[in-house]
Amino acid sequence: MDASRVVGLPAVEIAALVRAGEVPAVDVVRAHLDHIDAVDARVGAFRVVRREEALAEAQAIDTALARFALPLAGVPIAVKDNVAVAGQVCTDGSPACTRGPEDKDHAVVARLRRAGAVVVGITRVPELCLYAATDGPGTVTRNPWDTARSAAGSSGGSAAAVASGCVPLAHGNDGMGSLRLPAAACGLVTLKPGRGVVPAGIGRDDWSGMAENGALATTVGDLAVAHAVMAGEEPGPLPDPGRPLRVAVSTRSPLRGVRADREALAAVDRTVAVLVDAGHTVVRRDPPIGDATGAAAIARWLAGAHDDAEHLGIDPADLQPRTRTHARLGRMIRRAGLIRPRTQERFRDRMTAFFGDDVDLLLSPITAGPPLPARPWHERSWAANMAANMRWAPWGAAWNYAGLPATVLPAGTRPEGLPLSVQFVGPRGPKDDYSGWPESWNAATPGVATRPCSTPPLPRPPRPRDPSRLVTARRAARVTGATPGHAGGQGTALRSGALASIDASDFSD
């Protein structure tokens, strides 16, 4: 088989070809490296490309006696820039991080490598992995479906790498939706595992227990294998629940004043139709998520910035202005003792009880609209970043706080061609073994997230600035107490009333 034809194949098919000796792993990796050279300048997925090291590691796969038993034999993967890869510097997206190369792989990287995967590069993230768009000084990571849009964040580089065909699988992690939001933006599948299923070890304390490692893929089959490998399990066929499922549906936003747009709601409706046609029962039911839940999750998000900057030895003065504000508020939260594990456990128990005996899964939107514009968000104020992030993606954080598994699956496309996705949440279990996933979903959506992005479109030129938008920004500033483009008034911007008053046009293309 011509090695160039493996680019765009699912990981399980690539591994099968390598195990059978039909294509050498070194040719597979070289083809993907050549593809990265061809397209990454348009999407900005990678901070580091490990060409020589990856080819040497692929050669070792070809000569390994155990190659025939490796579930990911010769599969090129990318790793997010906030876990250790031996010999590489882990920056957590911060130019101020001056640590040297890592001595050994993070546990999930080691497991992926033992399964035969080859790390071809390290993907870009926003500073300290805090935000829902991936950019930094001199770089903006773009969406392969429309390079005028962001690949989201914080695993935006990993999502862009998969969606553009640079790798069939990529590592990422999720503390406030950081796997699910890029998957939704780029038309991919992902799973935020439940707490304790996959080794975490992200930053100082996994954002007070909210962050989990996972994978981004183009098919459910690839995701299942990657998840099993990272969880230390033997990959196998997706289990059949053996009975119709009872699925609760909720489109209510956890954030007051925010609702999903028409297309996102239509995606939920189409998913309901697929479920009903497959024989599952669907009921309307909202999970008991109140304002206090959002406040508690945001407190951990803020504290995580302070904790991780300290963990990495970064002087707060060297952080980007938005991140410096984030970390300063996080330090105040830590000093005030507002991170309360008992409150988190009570919420976890309440969400587990929501599922109980009569609900197997919860279906909801994951984002309120199309991805954020691809722009240097790190140059904008902390208040502008927070408002944009929270208005676009309020459905993810509660499940990090609860420690329950949540997955994102594609559900069609918008009129302009951008992907649509939905979120499924399940109860806690020992393995997050996919038993709650409706197998009919994969059959009902052939080619679930595959997009042949060998030539992502060039970025669109920026539009001339509309003076009316400046008026809108000034009107919002009067409500929040901030100056447009300035980080003042952050406290008021988080109040639901002030947040709702900011016009959506301030954060759209």
Side-chain angles (χ1 to χ4, degrees):
M1 182 179 180
D2 181 359
S4 64
R5 296 176 63 186
V6 302
V7 174
L9 289 181
V12 293
E13 293 185 25
I14 291 173
L17 291 169
V18 172
R19 286 194 300 268
E22 294 185 32
V23 183
V26 70
D27 289 352
V28 169
V29 170
R30 184 179 290 112
H32 283 83
L33 288 167
D34 290 347
H35 187 68
I36 291 171
D37 289 344
V39 307
D40 193 48
R42 300 186 186 186
V43 295
F46 288 91
R47 184 182 68 81
V48 172
V49 177
R50 304 175 67 249
R51 174 171 283 275
E52 299 305 321
E53 301 98 319
L55 289 171
E57 291 164 15
Q59 184 64 49
I61 296 293
D62 285 330
T63 58
L65 295 176
R67 183 190 76 203
F68 310 100
L70 299 175
L72 293 174
V75 173
I77 66 167
V79 175
K80 184 177 179 179
D81 188 21
N82 70 339
V83 301
V85 174
Q88 301 297 320
V89 175
C90 178
T91 71
D92 208 3
S94 179
C97 182
T98 57
R99 303 202 320 180
E102 299 292 334
D103 295 330
K104 63 180 182 179
D105 289 333
H106 185 283
V108 295
V109 177
R111 288 178 176 181
L112 289 164
R113 280 180 153 164
R114 284 197 296 269
V118 177
V119 179
V120 297
I122 312 298
T123 56
R124 295 189 183 277
V125 297
E127 190 169 43
L128 302 186
C129 297
L130 291 171
Y131 303 107
T134 298
D135 59 90
T139 181
V140 174
T141 298
R142 299 178 180 275
N143 194 319
W145 292 72
D146 179 354
T147 51
R149 294 283 176 178
S150 174
S154 63
S155 304
S158 289
V162 176
S164 61
C166 292
V167 289
L169 276 177
H171 159 269
N173 35 52
D174 190 318
M176 288 277 285
S178 292
L179 279 166
R180 289 162 289 159
L181 303 182
C186 296
L188 304 176
V189 294
T190 195
L191 170 71
K192 181 200 78 67
R195 190 184 304 163
V197 175
V198 173
I202 304 161
R204 192 179 86 172
D205 68 349
D206 314 322
W207 283 10
S208 303
M210 293 206 307
E212 303 290 346
N213 284 305
L216 291 147
T218 61
T219 69
V220 170
D222 280 2
L223 180 60
V225 171
H227 173 72
V229 166
M230 288 191 291
E233 303 288 339
E234 189 69 26
L238 295 175
D240 185 344
R243 59 176 176 81
L245 300 172
R246 187 172 173 88
V247 181
V249 179
S250 173
T251 57
R252 188 190 70 182
S253 169
L255 180 64
R256 295 187 189 187
V258 176
R259 69 186 302 271
D261 69 7
R262 181 183 307 167
E263 287 80 12
L265 294 174
V268 172
D269 290 340
R270 285 194 298 272
T271 305
V272 167
V274 170
L275 295 169
V276 171
D277 287 347
H280 303 296
T281 300
V282 176
V283 297
R284 293 281 173 179
R285 185 176 302 178
D286 294 325
I289 300 173
D291 294 342
T293 300
I298 290 170
R300 283 159 174 75
W301 183 25
L302 296 170
H306 166 260
D307 296 345
D308 287 354
E310 190 175 72
H311 175 73
L312 293 168
I314 299 173
D315 186 334
D318 294 331
L319 294 169
Q320 295 164 10
R322 62 173 181 174
T323 311
R324 193 182 312 137
T325 299
H326 211 105
R328 183 174 68 250
L329 294 172
R331 182 176 68 250
M332 294 166 58
I333 284 167
R334 281 290 183 198
R335 290 178 175 175
L338 298 179
I339 306 300
R340 297 167 181 166
R342 288 185 181 178
T343 304
Q344 186 174 10
E345 287 307 311
R346 284 196 297 269
F347 179 73
R348 177 176 168 85
D349 291 342
R350 192 160 71 249
M351 291 302 101
T352 300
F354 168 79
F355 290 95
D357 296 328
D358 63 341
V359 172
D360 297 297
L361 291 171
L362 171 68
L363 167 65
S364 77
I366 181 60
T367 61
L372 298 176
R375 60 168 57 141
W377 286 94
H378 66 282
E379 296 177 358
R380 305 193 75 183
S381 71
W382 176 84
N385 276 269
M386 289 290 284
N389 286 206
M390 292 167 65
R391 286 180 63 88
W392 181 56
W395 281 276
W399 310 114
N400 296 93
Y401 187 51
L404 298 185
T407 186
V408 161
L409 296 173
T413 56
R414 292 177 172 276
E416 66 272 29
L418 288 166
L420 282 163
S421 296
V422 294
Q423 176 176 242
F424 282 99
V425 182
R428 59 185 175 187
K431 297 181 181 178
D432 292 351
D433 62 3
Y434 295 87
S435 60
W437 281 33
E439 294 203 33
S440 58
W441 179 256
N442 227 13
T445 55
V448 58
T450 304
R451 176 171 172 78
C453 289
S454 56
T455 54
L458 292 170
R460 296 203 305 260
R463 292 179 181 177
R465 187 164 179 82
D466 182 352
S468 66
R469 294 174 65 183
L470 183 59
V471 173
T472 302
R474 287 172 175 162
R475 185 172 65 248
R478 287 198 296 270
V479 176
T480 61
T483 302
H486 189 270
Q490 301 97 327
T492 27
L494 288 180
R495 295 176 192 156
S496 58
L499 193 61
S501 72
I502 299 177
D503 194 282
S505 64
D506 290 333
F507 310 110
S508 61
D509 191 25

